[in-house]
Amino acid sequence: MPGIDKLPIEETLEDSPQTRSLLGVFEEDATAISNYMNQLYQAMHRIYDAQNELSAATHLTSKLLKEYEKQRFPLGGDDEVMSSTLQQFSKVIDELSSCHAVLSTQLADAMMFPITQFKERDLKEILTLKEVFQIASNDHDAAINRYSRLSKKRENDKVKYEVTEDVYTSRKKQHQTMMHYFCALNTLQYKKKIALLEPLLGYMQAQISFFKMGSENLNEQLEEFLANIGTSVQNVRREMDSDIETMQQTIEDLEVASDPLYVPDPDPTKFPVNRNLTRKAGYLNARNKTGLVSSTWDRQFYFTQGGNLMSQARGDVAGGLAMDIDNCSVMAVDCEDRRYCFQITSFDGKKSSILQAESKKDHEEWICTINNISKQIYLSENPEETAARVNQSALEAVTPSPSFQQRHESLRPAAGQSRPPTARTSSSGSLGSESTNLAALSLDSLVAPDTPIQFDIISPVCEDQPGQAKAFGQGGRRTNPFGESGGIIKSETEDSILHQLFIVRFLGSMEVKSDDHPDVVYETMRQILAARAIHNIFRMTESHLLVTCDCLKLIDPQTQVTRLTFPLPCVVLYATHQENKRLFGFVLRTSSGRSESNLSSVCYIFESNNEGEKICDSVGLAKQIALHAELDLEEQSRLIAASSRPNQASSEGQFVVLSSSQSEESDLGEGGKKRESEA
């Protein structure tokens, strides 16, 4: 006989949509078996009833034939031959009646009893287990929902203990019920064959026994066939008994091994976090906004598939695309009513999702997995080994090495630099002309190993007067923390000919020793990214970067209040990463004290939406306009128009030319680089 399809009892604790879908197939099969067996039962019951009727009718016929001689007919009575013949017929039919009575008894025992047992016992057991499992599943879902709604700010140990205990009890009940339900469905695959073959076997054997009573000439081929069927039924029964014993042992082992997993938030010391995953699946709560303030959370099954994050509701046949996570950004976020939340933002910044993990372990593993997929590690031959290698490299990246050249042999970003009063040079020219000096550079001459890193903007609001060269957080007028200025002050950039706005995310800043070489920016990028990876810092502050002819401004996107102001003359160096176009940075030279002779340099690193080169080109053009400040407004407008690329205009990278006739929109690119080199 062919192999038996089975439900995987080992996957009952995970309770994935795939397992539920497979369970649905088995439940449909059980329903189909039940419908078919009901019809077969009715047909066999008609045979049994017919046989009983035949036996009773034969016996009545024999009785009537015996009473023929007692009848008095008006015509043709007292026919001795006819009476003797009918008496003989009555004896034969009476013997047949006895055979039919024996056949009815055999059909009741060999045909009707097995199919009745299967219908009344086995099929009803499946229905009962199905109802019990559905109740346990609903109780578990309700317990999980109560656990997920635990407040983060107002934690109540008693409520938390009761909810956790409820989750433990309901999950254990669901797991045990599901395992026994799976075992019953697997056993049904054997029993349905037995329930089909045993009644037929009993029917045929009863018929053969019936015919043997009237004839000794039995077909040997039929007997051999029935003997083979009987042997096969016995083999199936033995295999079923062995498999039932194995499944019962598996259930006992899984009950013992799965007991710690019933707790929704397991101990991280017993179940360590795997940070090298490139594939993950599990249930997450997704936040859906229902209004300006209110939101709902839906629990769905999420899994990664290549560079995509897929979601699948319970009962769905297949999952659907939730988000493309190639080159995305992921970070942990704080939600007022939920714990273990993280946010995924697409590479273009147009789509974001906030998800909630069930435990701290899942929370960290999801963030690390999506971060690994964002780096496209899954495309390598051995993704987990590659991820482990990359994470190990990140750990080693903050350890100073003796040679700066060795660390940047395989990966050197291309960037431009700005040295007043000259404009930013091209990346190829910078690397080619100074390749001999790179080998002589020391790591300590660029960034000190113990330099602290600032990962966030400390001051929420900071506005400096135009032309100030003060460092961040030093001096300046007092500001209102709610974003309201003390008096009416004219905007610093109202009269600027250049206004260009970009969406950026602040990665970090640190003080540097040198500001005359682009490798300072590269080394700062490396140390900040490595430190973020080591300390699992995924939070980034999003701002709007405004580039004008006077300064660079970081503006809060919600309140439109200036967070930081960088005077343009103090921006002495700026660069973008060659392979990751989203990364760029600049060095700000400021006075660290009252004396202007005491200067310090701070390198700021940002992430943009694939517009690092555009921002650097915009800064370069702003410095060109500042150098050509003696030109009139018309000459400055022509300078901007000559740097534009009309075919690649971007809504986020536009220049506004303040002239009486028209406004030019430009997206700086190669044209901007040409104007910088001409300057």
Side-chain angles (χ1 to χ4, degrees):
M1 285 191 177
I4 302 299
D5 296 324
K6 300 177 184 177
L7 282 167
I9 299 178
E10 297 80 4
E11 299 179 5
T12 52
L13 180 58
E14 182 182 3
D15 192 19
S16 64
Q18 288 79 4
T19 305
R20 286 294 183 103
S21 298
L22 186 60
L23 174 61
V25 175
F26 275 72
E27 289 177 342
E28 291 180 3
D29 183 74
T31 303
I33 292 173
S34 178
N35 294 334
Y36 178 79
M37 293 305 295
N38 285 332
Q39 297 177 8
L40 185 62
Y41 172 82
Q42 293 177 1
M44 289 186 173
H45 201 277
R46 288 182 63 184
I47 293 176
Y48 175 67
D49 291 340
Q51 183 59 44
N52 287 334
E53 182 65 22
L54 180 60
S55 176
T58 305
H59 179 70
L60 180 59
T61 301
S62 175
K63 182 179 179 181
L64 291 174
L65 291 177
K66 290 180 180 179
E67 294 177 353
Y68 179 79
E69 59 183 5
K70 299 179 181 179
Q71 299 296 322
R72 294 293 180 258
F73 299 102
L75 296 174
D78 298 330
D79 190 351
E80 295 292 337
V81 175
M82 189 62 180
S83 297
S84 175
T85 304
L86 291 179
Q87 287 294 325
Q88 187 66 31
F89 273 109
S90 66
K91 293 180 181 178
V92 174
I93 294 175
D94 190 51
E95 292 178 359
L96 289 176
S97 176
S98 300
C99 293
H100 282 294
V102 173
L103 178 58
S104 297
T105 304
Q106 291 179 346
L107 289 178
D109 296 337
M111 183 180 72
M112 295 306 301
F113 180 75
I115 195 171
T116 303
Q117 285 289 98
F118 177 76
K119 178 177 176 293
E120 299 296 331
R121 183 183 63 185
D122 299 328
L123 293 180
K124 284 187 177 180
E125 179 185 5
I126 294 294
L127 293 177
T128 303
L129 287 175
K130 181 178 180 180
E131 294 176 358
V132 173
F133 166 69
Q134 191 63 42
I135 294 173
S137 179
N138 294 337
D139 292 341
H140 176 254
D141 291 343
I144 284 293
N145 287 333
R146 288 194 297 272
Y147 174 80
S148 300
R149 291 195 300 269
L150 283 177
S151 176
K152 179 181 178 182
K153 293 185 177 180
R154 297 178 298 177
E155 287 192 358
N156 189 323
D157 293 338
K158 181 179 179 181
V159 174
K160 182 178 180 182
Y161 173 78
E162 292 176 354
V163 173
T164 304
E165 190 67 19
D166 191 16
V167 172
Y168 172 86
T169 304
S170 61
R171 183 170 290 177
K172 183 175 182 180
K173 181 180 179 181
Q174 179 192 5
H175 185 211
Q176 294 176 349
T177 306
M178 195 173 187
M179 287 191 296
H180 289 286
Y181 184 35
F182 277 25
C183 178
L185 288 175
N186 292 341
T187 307
L188 182 64
Q189 300 302 311
Y190 295 100
K191 290 183 177 180
K192 71 178 182 180
K193 296 186 178 183
I194 297 174
L196 284 172
L197 295 178
E198 277 191 344
L200 296 177
L201 181 63
Y203 173 77
M204 295 304 298
Q205 288 178 343
Q207 293 291 343
I208 290 175
S209 177
F210 170 74
F211 290 124
K212 277 185 176 180
M213 295 179 185
S215 175
E216 295 295 332
N217 300 323
L218 183 63
N219 191 340
E220 295 181 359
Q221 185 177 0
L222 182 59
E223 285 186 346
E224 184 179 357
F225 170 75
L226 296 177
N228 293 335
I229 295 297
T231 303
S232 178
V233 169
Q234 294 301 322
N235 292 335
V236 172
R237 184 177 292 278
R238 284 194 295 268
E239 184 179 354
M240 181 191 70
D241 295 338
S242 175
D243 206 357
I244 289 176
E245 183 179 355
T246 303
M247 288 189 291
Q248 292 294 341
Q249 184 62 40
T250 303
I251 290 176
E252 294 177 3
D253 296 340
L254 287 177
E255 285 180 350
V256 176
S258 301
D259 190 74
L261 300 178
Y262 295 142
V263 180
D265 196 356
D267 188 359
T269 59
K270 298 181 181 179
F271 302 94
V273 177
N274 188 352
R275 306 182 186 278
N276 305 326
L277 297 174
T278 56
R279 292 185 299 173
K280 187 169 177 60
Y283 281 99
L284 295 173
N285 291 328
R287 188 177 75 173
N288 298 319
K289 289 187 177 180
T290 57
L292 296 177
V293 180
S294 61
S295 60
T296 60
W297 295 82
D298 295 332
R299 188 170 186 259
Q300 288 190 347
F301 188 83
Y302 284 82
F303 60 95
T304 59
Q305 190 175 73
N308 298 324
L309 179 65
M310 313 292 288
S311 64
Q312 185 175 357
R314 185 177 294 177
D316 291 349
V317 179
L321 177 64
M323 182 180 292
D324 181 4
I325 54 178
D326 271 337
N327 296 321
C328 74
S329 60
V330 57
M331 61 180 178
V333 294
D334 287 333
C335 293
E336 295 181 356
D337 57 341
R338 298 279 173 143
R339 305 177 300 165
Y340 309 135
C341 295
F342 59 95
Q343 178 174 330
I344 308 172
T345 306
S346 61
F347 71 96
D348 55 2
K350 296 181 179 179
K351 185 177 182 180
S352 64
S353 297
I354 295 180
L355 304 172
Q356 180 197 17
E358 184 175 292
S359 63
K360 183 178 181 181
K361 174 179 178 293
D362 281 344
H363 178 257
E364 296 186 12
E365 284 188 350
W366 271 109
I367 292 178
C368 293
T369 302
I370 295 175
N371 193 36
N372 292 336
I373 295 176
S374 176
K375 300 174 184 176
Q376 298 185 346
I377 296 177
Y378 66 92
L379 297 176
S380 58
E381 293 183 359
N382 296 316
E384 291 196 6
E385 294 182 5
T386 305
R389 210 161 43 242
V390 170
N391 293 332
Q392 183 64 26
S393 300
L395 291 173
E396 297 173 353
V398 293
T399 304
S401 61
S403 174
F404 180 81
Q405 172 71 11
Q406 294 177 358
R407 255 198 322 275
H408 294 276
E409 283 289 335
S410 59
L411 178 62
R412 181 179 298 282
Q417 60 180 354
S418 174
R419 298 187 183 93
T422 60
R424 182 168 66 98
T425 59
S426 64
S427 59
S428 60
S430 174
L431 295 177
S433 61
E434 301 179 8
S435 60
T436 57
N437 297 329
L438 290 177
L441 283 175
S442 172
L443 177 62
D444 293 341
S445 66
L446 299 175
V447 180
D450 56 350
T451 302
I453 300 175
Q454 179 177 319
F455 292 107
D456 205 348
I457 299 175
I458 298 177
S459 176
V461 180
C462 180
E463 294 191 17
D464 296 330
Q465 298 300 324
Q468 282 183 329
K470 296 180 181 180
F472 164 64
Q474 296 178 351
R477 66 181 179 87
R478 294 186 62 184
T479 57
N480 192 318
F482 297 98
E484 300 175 357
S485 58
I488 301 175
I489 299 177
K490 186 178 180 180
S491 175
E492 302 171 357
T493 59
E494 278 185 2
D495 298 330
S496 177
I497 192 174
L498 176 63
H499 288 72
Q500 192 166 12
L501 199 65
F502 300 93
I503 297 177
V504 297
R505 289 170 290 277
F506 181 69
L507 294 178
S509 64
M510 59 189 302
E511 187 174 350
V512 295
K513 289 186 175 183
S514 173
D515 58 9
D516 57 355
H517 199 278
D519 288 312
V520 175
V521 181
Y522 311 153
E523 177 63 18
T524 306
M525 288 180 181
R526 184 190 64 79
Q527 289 204 22
I528 289 178
L529 292 177
R532 277 180 168 269
I534 291 173
H535 300 292
N536 290 326
I537 301 176
F538 300 101
R539 184 189 304 279
M540 292 182 288
T541 302
E542 186 172 284
S543 304
H544 289 171
L545 178 64
L546 178 64
V547 180
T548 68
C549 299
D550 301 323
C551 61
L552 307 180
K553 279 191 174 184
L554 279 180
I555 302 175
D556 188 288
Q558 302 294 332
T559 62
Q560 299 300 315
V561 175
T562 302
R563 289 173 171 168
L564 287 177
T565 301
F566 307 100
L568 190 62
C570 298
V571 179
V572 296
L573 188 64
Y574 49 95
T576 183
H577 201 286
Q578 183 181 19
E579 292 195 358
N580 190 349
K581 300 300 182 182
R582 300 184 299 176
L583 298 179
F584 76 95
F586 60 83
V587 177
L588 189 73
R589 182 186 296 169
T590 60
S591 59
S592 59
R594 294 183 178 180
S595 176
E596 295 184 358
S597 60
N598 189 8
L599 299 178
S600 63
S601 299
V602 180
C603 184
Y604 294 85
I605 304 301
F606 295 88
E607 180 189 50
S608 66
N609 297 333
N610 294 321
E611 293 183 340
E613 290 184 349
K614 294 182 181 180
I615 298 176
C616 290
D617 291 336
S618 179
V619 176
L621 181 60
K623 298 185 75 68
Q624 291 183 50
I625 296 175
L627 292 175
H628 294 77
E630 65 276 4
L631 298 178
D632 57 8
L633 187 60
E634 183 178 355
E635 291 294 332
Q636 294 181 16
S637 301
R638 283 200 294 268
L639 178 62
I640 296 178
S643 304
S644 64
R645 289 183 299 172
N647 294 333
Q648 299 181 9
S650 172
S651 61
E652 295 181 359
Q654 295 182 351
F655 292 111
V656 180
V657 182
L658 303 178
S659 63
S660 59
S661 60
Q662 59 181 358
S663 62
E664 295 288 334
E665 293 183 355
S666 62
D667 185 7
L668 289 179
E670 297 177 358
K673 296 181 180 179
K674 292 180 181 179
R675 291 297 302 168
E676 292 174 7
S677 61
E678 290 174 6

